[in-house]
Amino acid sequence: MTPSSSLAHDGRARLAVLALLAVTAVWGSTFFLIRDLVEHVPSADFLAVRFGIAAVLMFVLFHRQTLALTRRELTLGAGLGVLYAVAQLLQTTGLETTPASVSGFLTGTYIVLTPVLGALLLRDHIPRAAWLAALIATIGIAVLSLQGLAMGFGAALTLGSAAIYALHILALGRWSTAPTALGLSTIQAAVIAVICLVAALPDGVALPASSGQWTSLIYMAVVAGAGALIAQTWAQAHLTATRAAIVMAMEPVFAATFAVLFGNEGLTWRLLFGGGLVLGAMYLVELRGSTHQDDVSALEDPPAEILHHDV
């Protein structure tokens, strides 16, 4: 890698980290909105409407990029959408019988599951600093959210969703590229909407009942749905999956911060200490990423054939 290309790579990587941080901030801002909305609209119905709106908006804006995808890229986008939809449905179903704090911790285990599955499935080389950062981030999330753990059926579903989120992050990190990011994001949103609609149909699709609920849903569809999918898909074309997962560990930190600022929740030692651990983990992996050039992304490391995603 020449000095100029190295500088360009570093610049794209830093921009990708900032984009992922923006995504996690947006996701974190939705927690107290979703809490009120799902009391009136079932989870599958909410997800179907949310991603349906996102898919239509994204296709209107990015139909050329979507129609330009090859058959292989369309298959990849559909597979990514299936992973994300199943993870969302498992997580929301598990949340019905699992305390929110425990659910948040179990979902956050994708931070460790991502490098583990990457090493097992894709034969990724995971540096020691990344393993250490993943462990520190997981401890931080546990401090933020965990107040007791009993592995019931709902908790098992939530842990399963974390494993699928990890697979989604791995797939984006390995196969997403900057030129296909917009098209892949659109296909993902459409597939998520269809799967959630199928899950919602048996009882009929319920819609928000007030203007405030519709405002929340539109925000989650446009900003936290379409915008977040686009940003994550593009960002992971420039970052390894492990590095992306650790940056995304900031989501519960942002969620707790928004809860304090706008949700009338108090500032606790858990937020300060747990959030500090997550920030420290992100700093550790970013410091390593800025000083080592073997932290390659999908642009430098073409798709491995071990999973045979070459259809």
Side-chain angles (χ1 to χ4, degrees):
M1 186 178 290
T2 65
S4 59
S5 63
S6 176
L7 287 173
H9 168 72
D10 286 346
R12 288 193 300 267
R14 291 192 187 96
L15 184 59
V17 168
L18 292 175
L20 273 187
L21 280 175
V23 168
T24 57
V26 168
W27 283 342
S29 72
T30 64
F31 274 70
F32 66 95
L33 296 175
I34 291 175
R35 185 186 310 161
D36 175 66
L37 193 55
V38 295
E39 290 180 0
H40 304 89
V41 181
S43 297
D45 306 49
F46 154 68
L47 291 171
V49 177
R50 171 185 174 183
F51 283 101
I53 293 172
V56 170
L57 174 63
M58 292 165 72
F59 186 75
V60 169
L61 294 176
F62 310 124
H63 58 277
R64 291 183 180 178
Q65 294 89 335
T66 304
L67 296 175
L69 294 175
T70 65
R71 185 175 180 180
R72 179 179 182 276
E73 291 162 350
L74 286 170
T75 302
L76 172 61
L80 289 167
V82 170
L83 286 175
Y84 199 91
V86 172
Q88 287 268 308
L89 289 170
L90 285 177
Q91 184 183 13
T92 51
T93 303
L95 190 57
E96 293 175 2
T97 56
T98 306
S101 59
V102 176
S103 177
F105 168 70
L106 289 174
T107 303
T109 59
Y110 70 75
I111 300 162
V112 170
L113 292 173
T114 297
V116 169
L117 293 176
L120 291 175
L121 297 179
L122 301 178
R123 301 175 186 171
D124 286 345
H125 169 67
I126 310 299
R128 291 181 180 177
W131 284 112
L132 178 59
L135 178 61
I136 292 173
T138 302
I139 294 172
I141 291 176
V143 171
L144 274 169
S145 61
L146 196 60
Q147 297 177 349
L149 178 60
M151 185 59 73
F153 181 67
L157 289 180
T158 307
L159 191 59
S161 76
I164 297 176
Y165 280 130
L167 289 175
H168 182 264
I169 293 169
L170 281 171
L172 276 180
R174 182 55 62 96
W175 284 283
S176 174
T177 61
T180 63
L182 296 175
L184 286 179
S185 302
T186 304
I187 296 299
Q188 283 185 81
V191 171
I192 295 167
V194 169
I195 291 176
C196 293
L197 179 61
V198 170
L201 280 178
D203 296 322
V205 179
L207 298 175
S210 68
S211 58
Q213 292 173 15
W214 271 110
T215 300
S216 296
L217 191 146
I218 294 297
Y219 168 76
M220 285 182 277
V222 176
V223 181
L229 269 177
I230 292 167
Q232 183 188 3
T233 304
W234 177 85
Q236 285 203 241
H238 303 282
L239 298 172
T240 61
T242 299
R243 188 175 177 186
I246 293 169
V247 173
M248 288 160 65
M250 283 294 295
E251 179 183 355
V253 178
F254 282 120
T257 301
F258 279 110
V260 170
L261 294 177
F262 304 108
N264 298 320
E265 295 189 15
L267 182 65
T268 65
W269 72 268
R270 284 178 175 271
L271 174 58
L272 295 174
F273 183 60
L277 287 175
V278 175
L279 285 171
M282 193 179 68
Y283 176 78
L284 176 62
V285 76
E286 284 308 299
L287 181 64
R288 187 210 169 271
S290 65
T291 56
H292 292 73
Q293 293 305 319
D294 58 340
D295 185 22
V296 294
S297 68
L299 293 179
E300 291 76 34
D301 182 18
E305 296 303 321
I306 184 172
L307 294 185
H308 305 291
H309 283 177
D310 52 353
V311 292

